[in-house]
Amino acid sequence: PGVNFKFIPDQDQPLFARLYLASDSMLTGLHELIGHGSGKLLVETEDGCNFPPDLINPLDGKPVSSWYGIGETFLTVFGDISSAWEECRAECVSLYLCLEEAALHVYDFRDSTIVEDCVYVSWLGMAMLGFQGLQMYDLETSTWGQAHSRARFAILRMLMAAGQGLLSIQKDEAGQNATLALDRTLIRTVGKHAMAQFLLKLNVLKATAKIEEARSLFESLTDVTGEWIELHAISNKHRFPRNLFVQPHTVIVDDEVQLVDFE
């Protein structure tokens, strides 16, 4: 209560105040446990490959034609985009799985109304983080300063590209602020399909060490040019310092221990 969620519509502020923390906790759990905890790499070792020779690539329907060679790892092959790619993959896993009843029940979201509100807050909240993530992009050097921010911005761009009015950014007349508009009725249809296709690419390109395709895809989703330069300025106008959490202190006054806390 009392917190203003940047770039979120006014009518959704009470909903975010009530459900954002719980929804974010659910996404974090799915992100860490299943997102980072899944995804097999196709690897060649001195004893052979860890996959059958007739394995089919689901992206093109053809036999797998690339994999990690002896001594190669995801980090050595994907290099500078590896961290952001992996964070993007884990975030997408959490957004996709939060649509599943079994996952929602683990976090005690059971009432049908609460479930749909939670899904809406989760998806719009990710878009919010993606738009705020622009603040971590340096226009002068054309570089991203934070892997999570780049990952979430890629998700924002992907959802906007899904079309059919799923997600849009609406600027005010003065060009000083922006509002994210997510059509909640399309999350389980247009949104889920777009997320599934994107997640499939993230998983398969990582598994098969296809760095050229991966880099092309990721850079197309995370470049900041054209209209995004203006949106970058808007996002930065609403930048605020990160919260600083300070533990209470104990002091002795007249031989008595007193607790001193801070606002």
Side-chain angles (χ1 to χ4, degrees):
V3 175
N4 179 263
F5 292 88
K6 304 295 184 182
F7 316 117
I8 298 300
D10 291 341
Q11 66 268 24
D12 289 329
Q13 291 290 332
L15 187 63
F16 266 66
R18 180 163 54 90
L19 287 177
Y20 181 75
L21 287 179
S23 299
D24 186 60
S25 294
M26 175 185 67
L27 291 183
T28 299
L30 296 172
H31 170 116
E32 300 294 349
L33 298 176
I34 303 180
H36 289 314
S38 65
K40 177 178 178 178
L41 301 184
L42 305 187
V43 178
E44 178 183 359
T45 68
E46 294 179 355
D47 298 324
C49 294
N50 67 342
F51 58 94
D54 57 351
L55 183 66
I56 299 299
N57 183 329
L59 293 180
D60 58 19
K62 300 177 181 179
V64 166
S65 59
S66 64
W67 50 84
Y68 292 88
I70 296 176
E72 290 183 329
T73 67
F74 171 61
L75 293 179
T76 62
V77 172
F78 275 62
D80 61 316
I81 69 169
S82 59
S83 294
W85 184 279
E86 178 60 12
E87 294 304 332
C88 187
R89 194 181 68 85
E91 295 283 36
C92 287
V93 167
S94 70
L95 289 171
Y96 189 82
L97 289 183
C98 82
L99 300 175
E100 297 297 321
E101 186 178 81
L104 288 158
H105 285 182
V106 168
Y107 291 88
D108 207 29
F109 292 114
R110 299 177 183 276
D111 179 85
S112 59
T113 301
I114 295 296
V115 162
E116 293 310 309
D117 284 344
C118 172
V119 168
Y120 176 67
V121 169
S122 296
W123 280 56
L124 184 54
M126 185 63 69
M128 174 187 72
L129 294 176
F131 192 63
Q132 290 175 345
L134 274 170
Q135 298 163 11
M136 300 302 295
Y137 184 82
D138 189 326
L139 287 175
E140 292 186 2
T141 61
S142 299
T143 56
W144 284 90
Q146 219 278 349
H148 288 85
S149 297
R150 187 178 187 181
R152 292 160 180 164
F153 182 68
I155 294 172
L156 169 71
R157 293 278 296 270
M158 181 275 294
L159 292 176
M160 292 180 67
Q164 300 186 50
L166 174 64
L167 178 67
S168 62
I169 299 175
Q170 302 168 353
K171 295 179 291 186
D172 65 9
E173 293 183 0
Q176 299 297 307
N177 203 353
T179 302
L180 295 161
L182 174 68
D183 188 337
R184 63 189 297 162
T185 67
L186 297 178
I187 294 176
R188 291 186 177 273
T189 53
V190 177
K192 183 177 182 180
H193 176 74
M195 188 64 67
Q197 295 303 306
F198 186 48
L199 185 53
L200 180 63
K201 289 181 181 179
L202 293 173
N203 274 320
V204 172
L205 294 180
K206 177 187 176 185
T208 56
K210 282 190 171 291
I211 180 57
E212 292 81 9
E213 287 185 44
R215 185 176 295 280
S216 176
L217 171 64
F218 214 56
E219 290 184 350
S220 71
L221 287 173
T222 59
D223 67 333
V224 181
T225 56
E227 65 174 341
W228 288 106
I229 294 178
E230 181 182 356
L231 291 170
H232 177 275
I234 292 175
S235 182
N236 273 284
K237 282 185 192 330
H238 299 273
R239 189 169 189 164
F240 54 88
R242 299 186 67 173
N243 292 329
L244 179 64
F245 296 96
V246 182
Q247 290 183 324
H249 292 181
T250 54
V251 296
I252 298 177
V253 178
D254 296 331
D255 294 328
E256 291 186 359
V257 177
Q258 295 184 5
L259 183 68
V260 179
D261 57 11
F262 305 90
E263 293 186 0

